[in-house]
Amino acid sequence: MPPPIWLMRQAGRYLPEYRALRAKAGDFLSLCYDPALAIEITLQPIERFGLDAAILFSDILVLPQAMGQDLRFEENIGPLLEPIRDIERMQALDTTRVVERLAPIMATVRGVAARLPDDVALIGFAGAPWTVAAYMIEGRGGGRFETPLAMAQRGDPILAGVTERLIDGSVDYLLAQIEAGAEVIQLFDSWAGILPSGLRRRWSIEPLVEIVDRLRAKAPQVPVIVFPRNVGHDALAYLEAIRPDAIGLDQSADLDFARMRLQPHAAVQGNLDPALLVAGATAMTDGVDRIMHALGKGPFVFNLGHGVVPETPPRHVAELVASVRNWRPQ
Ligand code: CP3
């Protein structure tokens, strides 16, 4: 049996049908808050490629916005937030109205759940507290994050307070997604890798443990995937502490380590380099072959090591799905 396959950022700018709806809505956040359009976009890659899972079309930064932080997306720059740099701003974050303010997102989940074929899973998600806090404190993306990293180094109470509030907000938000029809949850810790290894436990792993334990207490039937990007062999520490159902691997992960040390404890998910999906042809199919040889006996979910990039030819996604489904050991 081939493994299930879906792709991070499977709905997005590489699809002409996405760009058409995005042009209609004007900007990205308007799309996220318009259930009719967001339902359509979530389903686009399912209809085009027959993937095994749909992921809710939204963003990890709608949660801080629902906690009261200003957010906008600037063309060619990315997210811009009003940075949180003092105790007062941290304390002003309000977790009590998250579910109410994110009602349109839950309407999207319900709409997708109603239209999705039974054999396609619906994945809900949130960002991990460290990754979301990094944006909230830095105020923008770009991957530098000096201020949140300095706060992590000194054990700053502002970062601690933001983290605590994100844990509470994420649990409520994810439980609401589950109630609306999400069947699997993925937690994106895209910036776990920039934390020095010794700081990962306090700022990345422990908050995830708390979220997953609280989700499991209320929704034990829902599998949880944790994606700590670029943490190398620390992936094992994430598995041992959090005990997720699956761990997502980025393209730098060591496949032998994943097979021998991670797969005995959990399903692994990943990890084709998104650049190989842009390249296509044998560069891509050789990449599929390496991954399937190492991890294909399972438990395994095929994915990329990070999101689909806008330069990706849609035809390559169809070819990727076929090459995974037709793969045979040589
Ligand atoms: O995966 C999916 O198809 C579901 C939707 C989804 C988006 N973002 C849509 C999106 C998910 C799960 C995310 C998660 C997300 N958002 C992460 C974690 C995963 C990762 O990529 O590391 C992060 C860090 C964000 C924050 C974010 N959103 C940034 C930094 C940017 C700007 C960079 C970019 O790619 O434009 C976004 C915008 C964004 N999120 C787009 C999409 C489709 C592009 C929006 C557009 O311009 O139309």
Side-chain angles (χ1 to χ4, degrees), residues 67 84-87 89-91 93 128-138 145-167 195-196 199 202-204 207:
M67 290 163 61
I84 294 178
R85 300 283 172 90
D86 55 49
I87 293 280
R89 267 186 197 273
M90 177 274 284
Q91 286 174 336
L93 293 169
W130 162 251
T131 287
V132 179
Y135 285 100
M136 292 171 76
I137 291 164
E138 191 66 30
F145 299 115
E146 265 80 12
T147 308
L149 278 169
M151 288 188 185
Q153 294 280 6
R154 70 171 98 92
D156 197 294
I158 298 168
L159 176 60
V162 170
T163 301
E164 209 176 294
R165 284 162 178 76
L166 283 171
I167 292 169
L195 278 169
L199 292 177
R202 166 69 181 94
W203 297 112
S204 170

Side-chain angles (χ1 to χ4, degrees), residues 4-276:
I5 174 171
W6 69 278
L7 307 176
M8 295 184 278
R9 287 282 174 95
Q10 62 192 22
R13 286 164 295 192
Y14 77 107
L15 288 177
E17 58 268 37
Y18 171 83
R19 295 195 299 269
L21 290 189
R22 165 86 143 68
K24 205 159 116 182
D27 78 318
F28 170 65
L29 277 175
S30 311
L31 274 183
C32 295
Y33 290 115
D34 182 326
L37 293 178
I39 291 166
E40 219 41 64
I41 292 172
T42 303
L43 295 170
Q44 282 174 348
I46 308 305
E47 285 159 1
R48 199 193 252 255
F49 306 116
L51 295 155
D52 295 299
I55 180 160
L56 163 67
F57 183 79
S58 177
D59 198 81
I60 62 170
L61 299 177
V62 299
L63 178 60
Q65 189 178 36
M67 290 163 61
Q69 189 175 15
D70 282 341
L71 167 69
R72 62 199 173 87
F73 279 83
E74 195 69 48
E75 203 64 50
N76 305 319
I77 296 180
L80 294 174
L81 302 95
E82 193 61 52
I84 294 178
R85 300 283 172 90
D86 55 49
I87 293 280
E88 290 68 33
R89 267 186 197 273
M90 177 274 284
Q91 286 174 336
L93 293 169
D94 172 17
T95 60
T96 64
R97 295 180 58 197
V98 159
V99 172
E100 177 193 326
R101 289 179 175 164
L102 297 177
I105 311 281
M106 268 52 90
T108 301
V109 175
R110 277 193 300 276
V112 174
R115 284 179 51 184
L116 212 53
D118 284 344
D119 59 352
V120 180
L122 175 51
I123 304 174
F125 69 90
W130 162 251
T131 287
V132 179
Y135 285 100
M136 292 171 76
I137 291 164
E138 191 66 30
R140 55 184 302 152
R144 288 166 52 83
F145 299 115
E146 265 80 12
T147 308
L149 278 169
M151 288 188 185
Q153 294 280 6
R154 70 171 98 92
D156 197 294
I158 298 168
L159 176 60
V162 170
T163 301
E164 209 176 294
R165 284 162 178 76
L166 283 171
I167 292 169
D168 290 344
S170 300
V171 170
D172 290 349
Y173 178 38
L174 291 168
L175 288 172
Q177 290 182 38
I178 291 168
E179 199 173 276
E183 299 168 296
V184 179
I185 292 297
Q186 176 153 323
L187 292 161
F188 288 90
D189 213 347
S190 302
W191 298 108
I194 66 174
L195 278 169
S197 183
L199 292 177
R200 283 184 191 137
R201 191 161 292 278
R202 166 69 181 94
W203 297 112
S204 170
I205 295 177
E206 283 177 6
L208 286 166
V209 168
E210 190 163 343
I211 290 174
V212 172
D213 284 354
R214 284 164 62 180
L215 287 181
R216 290 247 168 89
K218 295 260 175 71
Q221 76 287 2
V222 174
V224 177
I225 307 165
V226 171
F227 175 52
R229 191 167 70 93
N230 283 342
V231 299
H233 289 194
D234 273 3
L236 183 59
Y238 281 77
L239 265 193
E240 288 176 341
I242 304 166
R243 304 260 160 214
D245 298 273
I247 185 137
L249 305 177
D250 66 86
Q251 59 266 23
S252 72
D254 169 348
L255 295 179
D256 291 324
F257 180 84
R259 180 183 67 256
M260 291 186 288
R261 305 292 304 280
L262 304 178
Q263 253 179 346
H265 302 289
V268 297
Q269 172 176 286
N271 70 341
L272 188 77
D273 189 332
L276 294 178

